[in-house]
Amino acid sequence: DADVTQTPRNRITKTGKRIMLECSQTKGHDRMYWYRQDPGLGLRLIYYSFDVKDINKGEISDGYSVSRQAQAKFSLSLESAIPNQTALYFCATSDRGGNQPQHFGDGTRLSIL
Amino acid sequence: GQNIDQPTEMTATEGAIVQINCTYQTSGFNGLFWYQQHAGEAPTFLSYNVLDGLEEKGRFSSFLSRSKGYSYLLLKELQMKDSASYLCAFRSTGGFKTIFGAGTRLFVKA
């Protein structure tokens, strides 16, 4: 079983719809992250959370919200989806410590028509 | 500001050696990571450098020069399965966010 699980893996929806992407992990890590990946732009941080009571905006948080329901669960919402939010979304976790790498889920490919 | 730059694409031959360069600018540096990402898959961790010098791990090695804001990933004895994108990323201090480069797509040809 994957250590970091994202659902759904693929989603096609229409402009204006509310969408939730979910992430759960079995690694026991405190830190969780949401990124989007666009061709030529690399991974950009949307939100991150260092524990259940800690939520922080990343570089591109506008149009997104998150919820850290438990240590193992971190969900990303698009309240009213727009076409330029079409992208590949990754959830990641890491252990405490600046030298700890991030562990990524398999990604959610989201298309907004 | 914070900036990270790496070549968009590289091509190399099976069995050869390839070096992927990365330059970065940041006011607070807390380590540099390399990740491998096959098309349509998740990035996976390859290496971490926080001190100057070369870190060797099997066929892959990573080098860091903090004074020059420069790193490279060296891949030896290239195999077809090494065809992937290689992401350079640094971790900044004061928040411990990780800033990723756009990645270098490596094509390994027979």
Side-chain angles (χ1 to χ4, degrees):
Chain A
D1 288 340
D3 294 321
V4 183
T5 303
Q6 292 184 233
T7 55
R9 292 295 314 279
N10 292 281
R11 178 81 184 269
I12 301 173
T13 191
K14 295 182 179 179
T15 298
K17 294 290 188 182
R18 183 178 187 274
I19 301 158
M20 180 180 285
L21 309 183
E22 300 190 4
C23 178
S24 63
Q25 53 119 343
T26 59
K27 300 190 76 66
H29 290 164
D30 288 329
R31 300 181 176 187
M32 297 187 74
Y33 312 80
W34 275 104
Y35 291 92
R36 64 178 281 176
Q37 188 174 41
D38 299 274
L41 293 179
L43 288 161
R44 291 184 292 165
L45 184 63
I46 305 172
Y47 272 95
Y48 62 104
S49 169
F50 281 179
D51 64 44
V52 174
K53 296 180 181 179
D54 176 75
I55 302 287
N56 303 281
K57 292 183 177 181
E59 56 183 310
I60 54 162
S61 59
D62 287 349
Y64 302 94
S65 63
V66 291
S67 174
R68 184 83 185 265
Q69 301 96 322
Q71 188 210 32
K73 296 183 182 293
F74 192 36
S75 60
L76 176 72
S77 293
L78 289 69
E79 297 300 326
S80 180
I82 55 177
N84 75 2
Q85 291 177 312
T86 293
L88 183 57
Y89 289 83
F90 285 104
C91 173
T93 74
S94 71
D95 207 346
R96 297 182 187 184
N99 64 339
Q100 296 300 308
Q102 296 185 21
H103 301 264
F104 289 83
D106 287 334
T108 295
R109 189 167 295 280
L110 180 62
S111 296
I112 299 163
L113 306 177
Chain B
Q2 297 177 320
N3 189 40
I4 188 164
D5 194 34
Q6 52 183 129
T8 304
E9 287 185 1
M10 298 181 72
T11 301
T13 304
E14 193 175 18
I17 298 172
V18 70
Q19 177 175 312
I20 302 174
N21 296 323
C22 171
T23 58
Y24 65 89
Q25 290 180 312
T26 180
S27 55
F29 177 79
N30 197 28
L32 189 127
F33 296 84
W34 284 95
Y35 290 83
Q36 181 190 58
Q37 185 179 23
H38 284 100
E41 297 183 8
T44 55
F45 169 70
L46 288 177
S47 68
Y48 171 75
N49 296 67
V50 68
L51 300 177
D52 288 355
L54 189 68
E55 293 278 344
E56 296 186 76
K57 200 186 279 189
R59 292 191 299 116
F60 293 4
S61 302
S62 56
F63 171 83
L64 176 67
S65 169
R66 289 174 298 170
S67 63
K68 295 182 179 178
Y70 169 69
S71 174
Y72 67 73
L73 181 69
L74 194 70
L75 291 75
K76 303 175 187 175
E77 301 170 15
L78 279 172
Q79 302 175 10
M80 299 300 287
K81 68 178 182 179
D82 296 330
S83 292
S85 288
Y86 292 86
L87 312 180
C88 174
F90 68 81
R91 183 157 285 166
S92 63
T93 55
F96 299 99
K97 288 186 287 187
T98 303
I99 308 299
F100 285 84
T104 298
R105 290 180 66 187
L106 175 66
F107 299 94
V108 179
K109 58 182 183 179

